[in-house]
Amino acid sequence: MSIPHVLVIPCSAQGHVIPFMAVSKCLIEHGVRVTFVNTDFIHRRVIDALADKDFLGDRIHLVSIPDGLGPGDDRNNFGILLEANFQVMPAKLEDLIRDIEEKEGPKITCLVADGNMGWALQVARKMNIPRAVFWPASAALWHWELAFQRIPIQHQMFQLALGMPTMNTAHLAWACVGDLAAQKTVFSLVVRNNKFLEVADWLICNSSPNFESAVLNFAPRILPVGPLLSSHWLESSAGYFWPEDSNCLKWLDQQPHKSVIYVAFGSFTVFYQIQFRELALGLELCNKPFLRVVRPDTTEEKDDAYPKGFKERISGRGKLVGWAPQQKVLAHASIACFVSHCGWNSTMEGASNGIPFLCWPYFTDQFLNETYISDMWRVGLRFKRDESGIIRRSEFKCKVDQLLDDVSFKIRSSDIKEKLAKVVDEGGESHKNFSDFIQWMKAL
Ligand code: UDP
């Protein structure tokens, strides 16, 4: 019998490529071969950020196709990016598949596409390839995006069923993209995309029944297989868009047990100057060790964005890095808490390591994840903003103290860590769902 060969195709965002790498690593653990399809633009970033140690072996093959945009186009505009993808990528994907099959013989066994790349399922169907969708965010968000048939005009809180978290319509994906006309365009792209997903054989989601049982009961077609974390399988950090600064792990080795505040806001968050400085001063005020990620594009400030003398004053107890190996950081014994923007991956990673959170959401589903963390799982606290929307240094210190002084956060976080470890282990529901998926694939 030949080895199953799976084509995986994530959406062009860091928070999608990393969990797709986790799925890929999991697939190769089960003896499957993976061809990982990025856009040319993302592929270059991933290759440029690879470290020597990021050896993927011959089971994960990184390839790329054009995304439909020109070299200088704005790839942060999701509406434009998704439409360009839709116009150009299906034909390119088809060519790629034909090319692989011509050169390598056996047919592609299965295609696993991102929930935002519905068109790829249509290509697979046309080519008679079995297909699955992997959704790298919460089941709640996915369920809602699949459920809306008309764009909600008013901003209001809603709850689809009892036991599900509440969410504001202002935080749905399309509501964060400019004026109403732009929002309607993105909404219609989402609806079109969701229609394409109807031909999927499997809908799997990087979530866990421990977290989202109400939603998963309500939407039984969505099967949780998570939390899938790359670091569970391979040492390699391949998939990052920025080179990681692994020196911070050595720095963490020198810090006392559960003493360090880890601060990171994912791959998109950008700060106004005033908020950036206030956070720096808040960290200074806490007088505790901290590790803070500041991506090169975190502020719009060209010169030094930090308060005057900040770096000198915090040297010795504060470490600033451009990009951290976050999963390894969160697994480090010195970490006390995670100041996070509550992206779904960060949420899964913090929870899997039993780390309490301070929630600092920025947009879209990050507010929903904040609700999960602080109101439903009660493993974190939210910050209060002042009348101009700023989180002040005194509020920052107050919440850090409150979180670290209250042992109940530690207890609940450890409890969740234990449950999440069980659910992906032999006998757990996520483990069973993933095994069933692999069995299906191997029987094709
Ligand atoms: N991440 C990382 N190093 C950093 C910051 C983030 O490896 O310094 C990773 C993090 O572990 C997560 C991903 O980037 O897997 C961010 O995804 P998330 O869903 O949390 O947020 P997004 O970037 O999509 O807003």
Side-chain angles (χ1 to χ4, degrees), residues 15 18 240 266-268 293 323-324 326 341 343-346 349 366:
I18 290 176
Y240 285 167
S267 58
F268 281 110
V293 178
W323 189 255
Q326 180 164 300
H341 72 310
W344 185 251
N345 295 292
S346 297
E349 292 159 6
Q366 295 158 13

Side-chain angles (χ1 to χ4, degrees), residues 17 72 92 105 111 170 218 245 251 259 262 267 271 315 330 348 358 411 419-420:
V17 171
K92 299 290 178 191
L111 177 133
F218 203 74
D245 184 339
W251 181 83
S259 67
Y262 174 57
S267 58
F271 280 94
S315 75
L330 288 168
M348 289 273 117
L358 288 162
I411 294 172
K419 287 187 174 131
L420 291 179

Side-chain angles (χ1 to χ4, degrees), residues 138-406:
S138 67
L141 181 71
W142 200 11
H143 179 62
W144 284 331
E145 292 206 3
L146 292 172
F148 277 98
Q149 296 300 322
R150 256 185 296 150
I151 188 163
I153 301 292
Q154 283 192 342
H155 289 168
Q156 59 189 59
M157 296 303 288
F158 67 97
Q159 184 185 33
L160 284 189
L162 218 61
M164 280 198 191
T166 51
M167 192 175 180
N168 195 318
T169 50
H171 299 142
L172 289 163
W174 51 81
C176 306
V177 294
D179 62 10
L180 189 60
Q183 292 178 20
K184 283 185 173 167
T185 309
V186 172
F187 181 76
S188 62
L189 294 178
V190 170
V191 172
R192 181 181 67 192
N193 178 73
N194 291 345
K195 198 97 200 105
F196 292 152
L197 302 187
E198 285 169 9
V199 301
D201 297 301
W202 287 74
L203 301 181
I204 59 175
C205 176
N206 199 14
S207 184
S208 146
N210 306 96
F211 274 172
E212 300 201 88
S213 59
V215 181
L216 293 163
N217 288 337
F218 203 74
R221 256 203 97 193
I222 300 178
L223 296 177
V225 295
L228 294 182
L229 304 187
S230 322
S231 58
H232 286 176
W233 280 276
L234 280 185
E235 262 302 293
S236 158
S237 303
Y240 285 167
F241 290 5
W242 292 269
E244 68 174 27
D245 184 339
S246 50
N247 283 327
C248 62
L249 295 172
K250 292 189 199 106
W251 181 83
L252 288 176
D253 288 342
Q254 291 153 19
Q255 308 307 317
H257 186 71
K258 294 237 176 274
S259 67
V260 177
I261 307 170
Y262 174 57
V263 188
F265 299 96
S267 58
F268 281 110
T269 315
V270 175
F271 280 94
Y272 289 119
Q273 175 72 18
I274 177 170
Q275 183 63 87
F276 185 85
R277 291 201 174 167
E278 207 58 33
L279 169 55
L281 293 168
L283 281 166
E284 198 178 333
L285 204 57
C286 287
N287 206 18
K288 293 184 183 348
F290 68 86
L291 170 63
R292 178 174 176 193
V293 178
V294 183
R295 295 188 328 271
D297 55 350
T298 297
T299 63
E300 281 160 352
E301 186 83 346
K302 296 275 174 300
D303 304 319
D304 193 1
Y306 295 96
K308 201 158 183 284
F310 171 78
K311 286 190 182 159
E312 294 73 37
R313 293 196 298 276
I314 57 101
S315 75
R317 70 176 173 85
K319 177 104 181 134
L320 303 166
V321 294
W323 189 255
Q326 180 164 300
Q327 295 189 14
K328 289 180 196 144
V329 166
L330 288 168
H332 198 281
S334 67
I335 299 296
C337 66
F338 183 13
V339 179
S340 170
H341 72 310
C342 308
W344 185 251
N345 295 292
S346 297
T347 301
M348 289 273 117
E349 292 159 6
S352 298
N353 286 294
I355 307 293
F357 289 83
L358 288 162
C359 302
W360 190 314
Y362 177 63
F363 67 0
T364 60
D365 64 323
Q366 295 158 13
F367 288 92
L368 160 70
N369 304 337
E370 176 188 54
T371 303
Y372 268 140
I373 292 170
S374 20
D375 304 338
M376 300 186 77
W377 313 332
R378 297 192 299 127
V379 292
L381 291 170
R382 37 164 61 87
F383 288 112
K384 244 196 224 112
R385 293 171 193 263
D386 72 2
E387 56 292 346
S388 41
I390 302 293
I391 297 168
R392 294 288 167 189
R393 66 193 87 163
S394 52
E395 164 67 3
F396 185 82
K397 174 173 168 21
C398 170
K399 288 291 156 62
V400 168
D401 289 345
Q402 195 183 331
L403 187 82
L404 298 185
D405 290 347
D406 183 343

